[in-house]
Amino acid sequence: MGRIGTAFRAFFGSLFNPETATRVGQALADEPAKIEPSEQPTPKPQPTPPAPKPPARSEAVTLLATLQREARLIDFVKEPLDGIPDAQVGAAVREIHRNLAESLNRMFQIQPVLTDAEGSSVEVPSGFNAGRYRLVGNVTGEAPYRGTLAHHGWLANSTQLPDWTGNDDSADIIAPAEVELK
C-alpha cells in the first residue's frame, strides 16, 4: 500500500475510531506506540487430564492371591503328592482346610441356601429361581416339586475382596517369588 493509501486509512480510521486516532497522534508526535488491546483474548480452558485408570487386575486373580497368601492353596494344589504318605497329606490338608474356611467366610460370609438337613424332604415352589435350586433325578411335570435335599447349596451374603494396589506389571501375579537373603 502506498503513502496515499496509508494517509486515507489514517484519516478515516482516526475520524471513526478513537483508538486509531490515538495511535496516529502518537506516531505523528514520534511517541512510541502504546497499544492497549481492546479486549484480552480469553484463555482457552485447559483440558483436564483424564484420571489415571486403576491397574487392570481380575478379581479372580485377587481371590487366588488371597487364598494363596492366607491358606497356601496354590502351593498345595501344585505340590506333587505321589509318594507322600496319606497321613502326611491329611495333616497338611487339615491346616489348609481351616485357613481356607476362615478366608472364604471372611470374604463372602458363606451360608447354606437351604437350612434343612441334607436327606430331609423339601418342597421346590412353583416359579422357583433356577439359580437357587438345581433339580436332579426324575424331573417331570410342573412345580411345585417335592424331593429329597441332596445338597443344601451355598450362597455368599457379601463379597469383600481385598483392594489391590499393585501396578499393571504385577496384575497377574498370584504370589510373588520369595527370595531369602543371607
Side-chain angles (χ1 to χ4, degrees):
M1 178 179 298
R3 291 187 303 180
I4 294 176
T6 301
F8 276 111
R9 283 190 61 219
F11 174 76
F12 287 109
S14 297
L15 187 61
F16 298 111
N17 186 332
E19 184 177 318
T20 302
T22 301
R23 289 188 303 183
V24 169
Q26 290 171 341
L28 292 174
D30 287 332
E31 294 177 10
K34 295 179 184 174
I35 301 172
E36 295 182 19
S38 57
E39 286 187 30
Q40 294 289 334
T42 305
K44 293 181 181 179
Q46 296 294 322
T48 304
K53 66 177 187 178
R57 185 180 207 194
S58 164
E59 289 184 337
V61 174
T62 298
L63 177 61
L64 285 175
T66 303
L67 295 178
Q68 168 61 22
R69 184 180 59 248
E70 296 181 4
R72 312 288 293 184
L73 176 66
I74 307 300
D75 290 345
F76 177 73
V77 171
K78 290 295 199 176
E79 185 72 32
L81 299 179
D82 297 336
I84 299 177
D86 289 348
Q88 190 175 350
V89 173
V93 168
R94 186 176 311 280
E95 182 178 343
I96 293 169
H97 180 270
R98 182 182 59 248
N99 292 338
L100 280 174
E102 289 174 5
S103 297
L104 292 173
N105 284 330
R106 180 178 42 77
M107 290 184 286
F108 300 105
Q109 297 181 4
I110 296 173
Q111 292 183 343
V113 172
L114 297 179
T115 57
D116 303 279
E118 291 179 355
S120 63
S121 179
V122 294
E123 181 177 304
V124 178
S126 61
F128 69 93
N129 179 345
R132 292 182 70 86
Y133 297 93
R134 183 171 56 147
L135 303 178
V136 295
N138 185 20
V139 181
T140 59
E142 302 275 328
Y145 298 105
R146 180 149 290 283
T148 302
L149 182 60
H151 187 274
H152 50 68
W154 297 111
L155 67 90
N157 278 324
S158 69
T159 302
Q160 297 178 348
L161 291 176
D163 291 331
W164 181 69
T165 57
N167 58 38
D168 287 344
D169 292 338
S170 61
D172 295 331
I173 302 296
I174 295 171
E178 295 178 14
V179 178
E180 182 178 352
L181 305 179
K182 295 183 180 184

